[in-house]
Amino acid sequence: MFPSTRLRRYRKSKELRKMFSQPFPGSEKFVWPVFVIEGRNREIPIAAMPGQSRMTVDVLIKRLEPVVKSGIGGIMIFGVVENFQKSLDGSYSYRKDGVVQKAIREIRRNYPGLVIFTDVCLCAYTKHGHCGILDKNGDVENDRTLVSLAKMAVSHAQAGAHSVAPSAMMDGQILAIRNALSKAGFNDTLLMSYSTKFASNFYGPFRDAAASKPGKGDRKGYQASFRNLKIALKESVEDEKEGADILMVKPALCYLDIISKVKEKTLLPVAAYNVSGEYSMIIACAERGWGDLNGMAKESLMAISRAGADMIISYWANRYENIFLDKT
Ligand code: PBG
């Protein structure tokens, strides 16, 4: 008899559709990445990322109020410094009075319930824009870079970060940071590894925002290749062994398969980073009148969640309520 299976039965009404739907990720699963600059009362919109800006800490504290009210779980802090503060070794990154360290202290004071993550990488602090210290040949020197990353992570923990998140893709960075944290007495600081981080073409708008574009060359010598699945997965497996508390796949949308494969290999929480290019391309599409902004955002976030992400780091986090206002 034709057809005994009629799947449209589940979709006949709004109420039925709702009943058979998986939940959207809650606001508490979201982490909002923010860019902080020095000074007071300054906010510079980021052209390549409409809806996002570089802010001084006092402005960020104001902007956070509605975001915290919407129940967002945390923020991820990126520092943006002036050219004269950059150096060959990126040593500004571990100053006690650096812009990130100051931001951590202020945010903790104002919003004690917000989970603070910090990006640990040298690229925004080096003159050449690479994620580590260069050797004579212009290659990033892995083991020397570890020492600086460890100092940076400890300085963030000292300022009060709940979780440090190394993104430099140096070998051994998790172990080096874990040891340094424990030596400094920070046994409770979470270590979220950007464990499977690809050399992606979707970081463009971010590099504009953070002024962290490499002057010469690219990051293919340290970030993972999207054409080597096994090594990409091994990156996460190794970071778990080194002592990471949270693993991460980055970017998210082109790598939904990797998110679910990493989940099969670990019992740790897995975060997904919905990166700048993934955000900006949806906005650009909507601005041209080619699609509904909130609809596209909602659908892509649901996909990331369905792939298995336990947490989502996303620039959509500061408008969670708009995107998910309509819960159907
Ligand atoms: C630092 C870092 C980058 C991003 C997060 N941390 C840039 C890069 O690796 O080039 C990208 C985030 C985004 O595109 O939203 N290494």
Side-chain angles (χ1 to χ4, degrees):
M1 232 182 307
F2 170 80
S4 60
T5 306
R6 285 181 182 271
L7 300 180
R8 289 186 60 196
R9 283 177 199 135
Y10 300 107
R11 309 198 279 261
K12 268 274 169 293
S13 70
K14 197 174 168 182
E15 292 69 29
L16 283 167
R17 287 195 294 274
K18 255 205 242 176
M19 179 163 287
F20 300 116
S21 287
Q22 291 161 11
F24 285 118
S27 55
E28 74 282 2
K29 307 287 182 201
F30 281 82
V31 175
W32 183 35
V34 294
F35 301 94
V36 290
I37 52 178
E38 292 208 62
R40 284 192 63 76
N41 199 23
R42 280 200 306 146
E43 178 166 21
I44 309 165
I46 300 163
M49 302 175 72
Q52 307 298 322
S53 46
R54 308 179 190 189
M55 293 169 267
T56 51
V57 180
D58 54 327
V59 174
L60 174 59
I61 297 293
K62 269 189 256 160
R63 297 279 173 266
L64 271 173
E65 202 188 318
V67 180
V68 170
K69 265 211 190 102
S70 76
I72 291 306
I75 59 167
M76 163 84 88
I77 308 176
F78 292 93
V80 184
V81 301
E82 304 291 337
N83 262 334
F84 76 87
Q85 290 161 322
K86 299 189 182 193
S87 58
L88 288 175
D89 64 359
S91 54
Y92 176 95
S93 65
Y94 42 86
R95 283 175 69 122
K96 265 203 168 75
D97 61 346
V99 64
V100 171
Q101 290 81 353
K102 278 192 277 195
I104 297 167
R105 288 191 286 267
E106 280 298 296
I107 294 162
R108 265 198 90 133
R109 222 159 43 81
N110 285 275
Y111 304 104
L114 191 64
V115 183
I116 303 175
F117 296 84
T118 58
D119 186 75
V120 175
C121 184
L122 298 184
C123 63
Y125 305 94
T126 52
K127 275 203 183 322
H128 44 72
H130 277 286
C131 299
I133 299 168
L134 301 185
D135 66 14
K136 288 197 294 293
N137 307 319
D139 282 336
V140 174
E141 218 178 301
N142 196 87
D143 297 12
R144 256 178 88 206
T145 301
L146 296 183
V147 179
S148 301
L149 293 175
K151 283 189 196 163
M152 188 175 176
V154 169
S155 79
H156 292 172
Q158 269 162 351
H162 301 96
S163 175
V164 292
S167 67
M169 287 300 282
M170 295 299 121
D171 288 325
Q173 64 182 11
I174 298 305
L175 186 63
I177 291 172
R178 176 57 82 207
N179 285 341
L181 285 173
S182 111
K183 215 165 133 197
F186 295 102
N187 286 319
D188 294 331
T189 307
L190 284 159
L191 188 36
M192 174 162 78
S193 176
Y194 284 66
S195 49
T196 297
K197 175 175 175 180
F198 290 97
S200 171
N201 296 289
F202 288 91
Y203 303 150
F206 171 95
R207 290 180 189 168
D208 232 30
S212 64
K213 203 172 157 191
K216 249 197 276 172
D218 53 38
R219 304 208 204 286
K220 290 185 179 149
Y222 37 102
Q223 298 179 347
S225 162
F226 53 77
R227 297 181 62 187
N228 193 329
L229 170 68
K230 282 192 187 163
I231 296 294
L233 295 179
K234 193 162 167 60
E235 288 283 358
S236 278
V237 169
E238 289 301 313
D239 283 4
E240 173 163 3
K241 283 194 227 153
E242 286 184 29
D245 299 300
I246 306 165
L247 302 177
M248 188 203 294
V249 175
K250 178 187 170 193
L253 289 175
C254 286
Y255 301 96
L256 299 175
D257 58 331
I258 310 284
I259 296 172
S260 67
K261 289 203 165 87
V262 169
K263 286 279 287 190
E264 284 167 15
K265 301 225 172 288
T266 185
L267 291 173
L268 297 182
V270 175
Y273 198 136
N274 180 209
V275 302
S276 59
E278 299 175 325
Y279 167 83
S280 297
M281 70 181 172
I282 287 180
I283 296 192
C285 183
E287 276 179 354
R288 290 182 168 210
W290 292 344
D292 175 60
L293 181 76
N294 288 338
M296 287 188 281
K298 185 157 67 171
E299 191 174 331
S300 58
L301 295 171
M302 186 67 205
I304 295 167
S305 162
R306 207 178 47 235
D310 299 294
M311 305 158 49
I312 304 177
I313 300 150
S314 175
Y315 303 97
W316 297 117
N318 68 335
R319 50 184 109 158
Y320 180 89
E321 284 184 327
N322 289 339
I323 293 169
F324 293 105
L325 192 63
D326 172 13
K327 298 250 190 292
T328 53

